[in-house]
Each structure stands twice: as C-alpha cells, then as structure tokens.
Amino acid sequence: MNLPLVPLFAALWSVCAAQSDNDSTAPIVLAPPPWTLKGTVYSATFVPLSKKLPTKAYSPLERGSAVQTEGEFLGGIGMVQIIRYTESPVGPYDELLLLPGFFKYDGPTGERTNVRITRIYVSQKYTCWNGRTNWNIPKHLARFDWTEKNGATTVKIYPHDTTGDPLESKPAEKPWFKATFTLDLLGGLPFTTDLYDILGVNTTLAQPPLPHAESKYHELAGTNHWAATVPGQATNKASIGIFDLDQGEGDVVEGQTTNVVGDEHYPNFWPGLLRFHPGMKLEDATITFSEPEIWG
Ligand SMILES: *[C@@H]1O[C@H](CO)[C@@H](O)[C@H](O)[C@H]1NC(C)=O
Ligand SMILES: CC(=O)N[C@H]1CO[C@H](CO)[C@@H](O)[C@@H]1O
C-alpha cells in the first residue's frame, strides 16, 4: 500500500466532484467562449409535420417571454440530442436538447431564418449558467438516469422546472423524457456536422435574449442581446441505431392531458414522431461552440 497517495486521490476527487455537483459551494464563474468539449452524442433528426409548436417546445420560464417565442416557426428539420460530455471547461455533464426547426424572425439585424434550441436540460449548474450567459442557450437543471442492458442504453430525464416550484429546487418525480438507443450498426463511420453545410442546411443557432429568474442554485442567468453561434460535432466513431421513444404514461397529472406545468403528452414525445426512430451515436466526439456573434 502506498499510503501517501490516498489523501492525494481524496483531494483530487473532491475537486472533480465539486465541479460537477449542483450542491457544490464552489462559486459559479464565467468560462468564456469558445468551448471545445468531448463526449458521446445520441442524435435523432426528424422532419416536423406541423408548423404549430406545442406548448412543451419551451420551458415554463421561457414560454412566458415574448422575445423567446418571437418569429414564425417554419419546421424544415428538427433534432433531439442527448449528449454525455466527459470533458468541458466546467467539468463533465449530461444534456438533452430540443431543436424543433427553423424560425423566420425579425431580430436586431433584420429579417433572418435560422434554427434555434428552444428547450434544453443539463445535469449541473455551472454549465447551466454559462450556457445561458455565453450563448443564450435556455438551459435548466434536470436529473439524468442512465441504464445499460443487453447493449441498449436507456436515459430518463427528470427536470427541475416541471414540478411547479418557481425556484426549480429539485428534480421532478416522473420523467419528462425517456429514450432507449439500440443496435449500433456500422460503428466506425466518420461523421461531421460540416456535412450539413454541403447539404445547404444553415446550422448557425440564433438565440433570442433570455429571461433571468431567481432559483435555488442561482443558475438561471438572463441576457438582453441576441447571440448567433456555430456549433460543431465530429467523430471517427459514428454508428447508426434505433431510438425507442415510447414515453409510456409520461408525467401527466392523473385524469389530465398535461403535466403540472402544461406540457402536452405525446406517446412518442413529440407530435408526429413514430415509436421507433432512426438515429446516430457519435462516440468520442469533439463538440465545439464558437464565440457568438452578439446582436442588439
Ligand atoms: C447562416 O445564418 C447566419 C445567421 O443568420 C448568417 O449570418 C449566415 O450568413 C448564414 N449562412 C449562410 C451560408 O447562409
Ligand atoms: C438537489 C438536487 O437537485 N441535486 C441534483 C444535482 O445534480 C445531480 C446530477 O444530475 C442530481 O442527481 C441531483 O438530484
């Protein structure tokens, strides 16, 4: 036994744990853009069938802000991604993001058409505050529950903002989203989001100003400008698979069609989606978030 190593490991462990725990007393500080991160991305792309967005497209805080819901939803191409970041400027964290499609909007730079992340959950407060501050990404906290069984990966997500508590103090008891990824065919393909440029899809995220709110963990920063960011994802280990999007009973209040905060229940999470949906897994991916262009 090499005893002097034990305190060293203990000290290192507490530093790492402090970074990624929302109950940590380490202050939330600015980690300025650009960011380069590592992780595994699970991605499902879909073509929205309706030009009408459901209430659940936005978190309760953001849906109350006129500028957040600004513009005309055009659809085009939509995306749900679940990402397990193993490395980031603020430590490891998990994320679920919803990008419903393109919006035509009249921003500070005139009329434009861009995609937008409308709702997103992360597992710790440091990335929550920084994502909101740096890029207007409307992050809120959630608990992520992962299970691996017979080669299938299941994730369940329990948000802090679907309980009706304005301070977003703790995770919901029922999952707002769940998915299982199986199959993993053709592992080892190269993939990069530059492919979207070739296809003529503009991947710049144009995010409206964010409302600020008081909360238990002080993670809900607001901004008063627009932010346009170019995200990137690249790997040499992409594989193809199937998502099972069956939500079961979901988080609906008994005898009603919505949860406590008014999010609609769809059997496969989103209007128009089928239960089994093709998707991609990007292992050992490098994810980049550019320095944003600030408007207004
Ligand atoms: C993509 O959208 C951004 C933000 O509106 C814009 O600045 C950029 O010129 C667009 N790119 C292309 C190739 O049209
Ligand atoms: C009190 C509280 O909500 N703690 C959460 C902090 O983040 C972890 C990781 O996601 C959750 O498991 C905790 O529930």
Side-chain angles (χ1 to χ4, degrees), residues 105 109 112-114 197 200-206 228 230 293 295:
Y105 59 98
T109 53
R112 292 180 182 248
T113 300
N114 286 108
D197 297 340
V201 177
N202 189 338
T203 54
T204 299
L205 297 168
V230 182
E293 201 178 293
W295 301 334

Side-chain angles (χ1 to χ4, degrees), residues 15 35-36 39 42 69 103 106 109 132 135 139 148 162 172 183 193 227 229 262-263 273 291:
V15 167
W35 278 16
T36 299
Y42 298 87
T69 54
F103 289 80
D106 204 5
T109 53
R132 296 179 70 94
W135 302 281
K139 291 177 174 178
E148 300 276 346
T162 54
L183 221 58
T193 45
T229 303
D263 296 329
L273 290 185
E291 193 161 337

Side-chain angles (χ1 to χ4, degrees), residues 56-59 63 97-98 117-121 162 176 263:
K56 78 189 290 189
Y58 300 93
S59 265
R63 78 177 65 133
L97 71 86
L98 172 66
I117 292 172
T118 58
R119 193 164 183 172
I120 176 167
Y121 289 106
T162 54
W176 182 76
D263 296 329

Side-chain angles (χ1 to χ4, degrees), residues 42 82-84 94-95 144-148 153-156:
Y42 298 87
I82 307 120
I83 310 181
R84 303 202 81 176
D94 297 332
E95 179 171 278
F144 286 66
D145 175 46
W146 297 86
T147 43
E148 300 276 346
T153 305
T154 299
V155 63
K156 292 183 187 161

Side-chain angles (χ1 to χ4, degrees), residues 66-136:
V67 71
Q68 273 293 307
T69 54
E70 146 82 28
E72 183 194 349
F73 179 62
L74 301 177
I77 188 166
M79 205 175 264
V80 174
Q81 292 197 332
I82 307 120
I83 310 181
R84 303 202 81 176
Y85 294 102
T86 51
E87 287 173 35
S88 93
V90 293
Y93 65 96
D94 297 332
E95 179 171 278
L96 165 73
L97 71 86
L98 172 66
L99 183 155
F102 283 90
F103 289 80
K104 188 165 97 186
Y105 59 98
D106 204 5
T109 53
E111 192 175 272
R112 292 180 182 248
T113 300
N114 286 108
V115 291
R116 182 185 294 179
I117 292 172
T118 58
R119 193 164 183 172
I120 176 167
Y121 289 106
V122 288
S123 61
Q124 46 106 323
K125 65 186 175 186
Y126 302 98
T127 184
C128 191
W129 187 89
N130 271 286
R132 296 179 70 94
T133 302
N134 289 339
W135 302 281
N136 289 2

Side-chain angles (χ1 to χ4, degrees), residues 63-287:
R63 78 177 65 133
S65 147
V67 71
Q68 273 293 307
T69 54
E70 146 82 28
E72 183 194 349
F73 179 62
L74 301 177
I77 188 166
M79 205 175 264
V80 174
Q81 292 197 332
I82 307 120
I83 310 181
R84 303 202 81 176
Y85 294 102
T86 51
E87 287 173 35
S88 93
V90 293
Y93 65 96
D94 297 332
E95 179 171 278
L96 165 73
L97 71 86
L98 172 66
L99 183 155
F102 283 90
F103 289 80
K104 188 165 97 186
Y105 59 98
D106 204 5
T109 53
E111 192 175 272
R112 292 180 182 248
T113 300
N114 286 108
V115 291
R116 182 185 294 179
I117 292 172
T118 58
R119 193 164 183 172
I120 176 167
Y121 289 106
V122 288
S123 61
Q124 46 106 323
K125 65 186 175 186
Y126 302 98
T127 184
C128 191
W129 187 89
N130 271 286
R132 296 179 70 94
T133 302
N134 289 339
W135 302 281
N136 289 2
I137 305 293
K139 291 177 174 178
H140 288 263
L141 289 176
R143 179 171 80 82
F144 286 66
D145 175 46
W146 297 86
T147 43
E148 300 276 346
K149 201 177 154 194
N150 305 328
T153 305
T154 299
V155 63
K156 292 183 187 161
I157 289 150
Y158 302 82
H160 282 221
D161 67 353
T162 54
T163 65
D165 164 17
L167 292 180
E168 306 190 12
S169 310
K170 59 176 193 329
E173 265 155 34
K174 291 184 188 167
W176 182 76
F177 173 89
K178 73 174 180 186
T180 297
F181 184 84
T182 50
L183 221 58
D184 251 332
L185 291 177
L186 309 171
L189 297 173
F191 174 84
T192 153
T193 45
D194 294 347
L195 291 172
Y196 290 113
D197 297 340
I198 297 169
L199 294 173
V201 177
N202 189 338
T203 54
T204 299
L205 297 168
Q207 301 285 144
L210 275 182
H212 159 269
E214 296 303 329
S215 67
K216 180 172 176 194
Y217 295 104
H218 313 293
E219 78 286 14
L220 298 174
T223 66
N224 50 24
H225 53 249
W226 285 67
T229 303
V230 182
Q233 296 178 340
T235 182
N236 288 319
K237 285 175 74 179
S239 58
I240 308 286
I242 300 285
F243 284 98
D244 180 348
L245 293 173
D246 180 14
Q247 302 299 305
E249 298 289 297
D251 60 355
V252 287
V253 180
E254 215 182 303
Q256 294 184 20
T257 56
T258 69
N259 67 6
V260 177
V261 295
D263 296 329
E264 308 87 341
H265 176 72
Y266 293 97
N268 306 308
F269 179 66
W270 197 249
L273 290 185
L274 300 177
R275 174 170 174 186
F276 295 104
H277 195 88
M280 267 194 331
K281 177 182 175 185
L282 314 180
E283 258 182 293
D284 297 335
T286 299
I287 299 111

